[in-house]
Amino acid sequence: MTGTRGLVAGVFLLPALVLLGALVVYPIGYSVQRSFFDRAGTGFAGLDNYVEIFTDDTILTAVRNNAVWVVVAPALATALGLVFAVLTERVRWGTAFKLVVFMPMAISMLAAGIIFRLVYEQDPDRGVANAVWVGVHDTFAESSGYPKARPLPVHPLKPAGEGAYETKQPVRAGSPALLPLVGVAPAKMPGDARPAALPRPEPGAVTGTAWLDFTKGGGGTPNTVDAKELGLKGLRIEAVKDGRVVATATAAADGSFTLPASADGALLRLPESNFREPYNGVDWLGPALVTPAVIGSYIWMWAGFAMVLIAAGLAGLPRELLEAARVDGANEWQVFRRVTVPLLAPVLAVVLVTLMINVLKIFDLVFIIAPGSVQDDANVLALQLYRSSFGTDAHLGVGSAISVLLLLLVIPVMFFNIRRIRRESRR
């Protein structure tokens, strides 16, 4: 009877074993064998392919990035999921919040990569991250009104270093100063800019006009205030004597300004702050930040997964222990740290190990989000496996060696998980 049962069980298991052997065991064995051969697969290379993994700079970057991923991404996703799970127990709309946080799990890695490629766009008009960052920055730091303005060679202005301009000759009280500039598109001028006013002399004061020396539609005379030319409202003007600022003024809507008598004999300087390029935010997809940026997109996707599993474990906790801790005088932080987290340790271990295995195989997000120019900086082992195994410069020996390395990295994590499951089953 027992033999018959074993035979029936074997018959039912046979299709699964055949598929397992064809789709898992055989590819693993072939990859191990192929990793000891050269690019063509005809010559035995020994350990050369494995040596190349730890000597090639590009592959070493992938190894280092994988280490960062394994340490940072699962820990942050698990911690965030724990916080969400605990806090949503205390709000009436917790279920709706869980649904929103878990929703990214319904999106494929490809779609999430495309979404975050747009989120991290450098242009604040397109990238959400930089739109928010630039908005916060501009709230506390006023941006320049005329970033591309400059004088022509025929103008009475010359470069003064560090992006500033100054008059070629000192100004005199009672003699109007002309500060013409070009390089500002009329459409970019302030909406309340008015036609430039002819400078009028005032005894005992330095007066002048700062204006856009450009007539829309053509015409006009350089260094002359023409009827259709606009004043450079808000332009900051400094009077400088012996390297020291003795007076300042700001141009009105019609470009006119007035400086006190102390400016007599000074050079008028237009400081660099008038022409500073607008702040365009952070280069999220640059070499320095591309890996943290991609990790951020991963956490956005997988924090919901961690939250749901931890919330399920939280629902099964004995509430009398939590209430007993509160009765004994523990505050909420102490209850969370000394009671809730230790009781949730098995669930947290499941989530953490699952995410560690997952990030060891991360490929899609890095491939989609990181631009081609920084893919070497964002490289991970799964992406390097793809790059080494396909294309005109493919080296299947190195690609197979990387796949074996990934398997060796996953095995200890799987072994730990199996031991934990067995230990839990004995309780």
Side-chain angles (χ1 to χ4, degrees):
M1 189 71 176
T2 304
T4 304
R5 287 181 176 178
L7 181 61
V8 172
V11 170
F12 278 100
L13 286 174
L14 185 61
L17 292 175
V18 171
L19 287 174
L20 186 66
L23 300 179
V24 178
V25 178
Y26 172 74
I28 291 175
Y30 180 77
S31 295
V32 172
Q33 178 192 0
R34 185 66 179 83
S35 68
F36 293 105
F37 285 81
D38 60 12
R39 183 189 297 268
T42 55
F44 185 74
L47 296 176
D48 290 351
N49 294 326
Y50 291 93
V51 171
E52 184 171 344
I53 291 177
F54 296 101
T55 55
D56 183 271
D57 290 339
T58 301
I59 303 178
L60 276 176
T61 300
V63 173
R64 286 193 294 267
N65 285 341
N66 254 102
V68 172
W69 271 90
V70 170
V71 171
V72 175
L76 289 181
T78 303
L80 202 57
L82 175 62
V83 171
F84 286 161
V86 171
L87 294 182
T88 50
E89 274 204 331
R90 301 175 179 273
V91 294
R92 297 177 58 185
W93 40 270
T95 303
F97 181 84
K98 289 178 183 177
L99 177 64
V100 171
V101 175
F102 187 74
M103 197 175 295
M105 285 296 299
I107 302 174
S108 69
M109 287 280 197
L110 173 63
I114 294 172
I115 290 170
F116 274 86
R117 180 64 180 270
L118 294 174
V119 167
Y120 291 133
E121 275 280 353
Q122 179 71 41
D123 185 357
D125 293 333
R126 299 180 61 189
V128 175
N130 267 337
V132 174
W133 195 266
V134 169
V136 173
H137 175 274
D138 289 351
T139 300
F140 298 98
E142 186 177 356
S143 59
S144 165
Y146 308 102
K148 297 185 182 298
R150 65 190 186 281
L152 292 174
V154 297
H155 286 162
L157 292 166
K158 64 178 182 179
E162 299 182 354
Y165 299 101
E166 67 182 10
T167 54
K168 297 174 182 177
Q169 301 295 331
V171 294
R172 295 297 176 186
S175 179
L178 299 176
L179 303 178
L181 294 171
V182 295
V184 183
K188 298 292 185 181
M189 291 289 288
D192 55 350
R194 293 165 49 191
L198 291 171
R200 296 180 179 178
E202 290 185 18
V206 174
T207 60
T209 299
W211 82 101
L212 180 63
D213 194 14
F214 172 81
T215 301
K216 191 174 181 180
T221 305
N223 292 328
T224 301
V225 177
D226 297 303
K228 295 182 179 180
E229 294 174 346
L230 299 175
L232 295 173
K233 180 188 177 183
L235 195 74
R236 181 178 172 83
I237 299 112
E238 297 175 343
V240 180
K241 284 184 179 179
D242 301 323
R244 186 169 58 90
V245 177
V246 296
T248 62
T250 301
D254 60 1
S256 61
F257 62 89
T258 302
L259 291 163
S262 58
D264 183 55
L267 292 174
L268 297 189
R269 182 172 64 191
L270 306 179
E272 178 270 342
S273 59
N274 291 311
F275 315 108
R276 189 182 300 122
E277 289 289 337
Y279 181 67
N280 286 321
V282 178
D283 188 9
W284 298 104
L285 299 182
L289 293 178
V290 63
T291 294
V294 180
I295 290 176
S297 66
Y298 177 88
I299 293 171
W300 175 78
M301 288 193 69
W302 287 88
F305 166 82
M307 177 195 66
V308 169
L309 290 189
I310 295 171
L314 198 59
L317 291 185
R319 299 295 164 171
E320 57 271 16
L321 293 180
L322 303 179
E323 294 303 325
R326 293 187 181 100
V327 169
D328 287 342
N331 58 37
E332 290 302 319
W333 169 245
Q334 291 171 326
V335 171
F336 172 75
R337 186 164 59 92
R338 297 184 180 275
V339 182
T340 303
V341 172
L343 289 176
L344 283 174
V347 179
L348 296 176
V350 170
V351 174
L352 197 60
V353 170
T354 302
L355 293 180
M356 288 176 68
I357 295 173
N358 186 267
V359 299
L360 281 171
K361 305 178 294 180
I362 195 70
F363 166 79
D364 319 59
L365 288 177
V366 180
F367 184 70
I368 298 298
I369 295 176
S373 59
V374 296
Q375 277 203 353
D376 284 347
D377 300 283
N379 203 11
V380 290
L381 284 173
L383 176 59
Q384 185 59 43
L385 169 60
Y386 169 79
R387 296 169 70 180
S388 298
S389 303
F390 300 96
T392 56
D393 195 36
H395 192 318
L396 292 180
V398 173
S400 298
I402 293 173
S403 68
V404 173
L405 176 61
L406 274 173
L407 176 65
L408 293 177
L409 292 174
V410 169
I411 285 176
V413 182
M414 294 177 60
F415 180 72
F416 169 81
N417 208 23
I418 292 171
R419 284 192 59 187
R420 185 196 56 76
I421 292 172
R422 287 179 177 176
R423 190 165 55 248
E424 290 292 326
S425 64
R426 294 194 192 105
R427 293 182 180 178

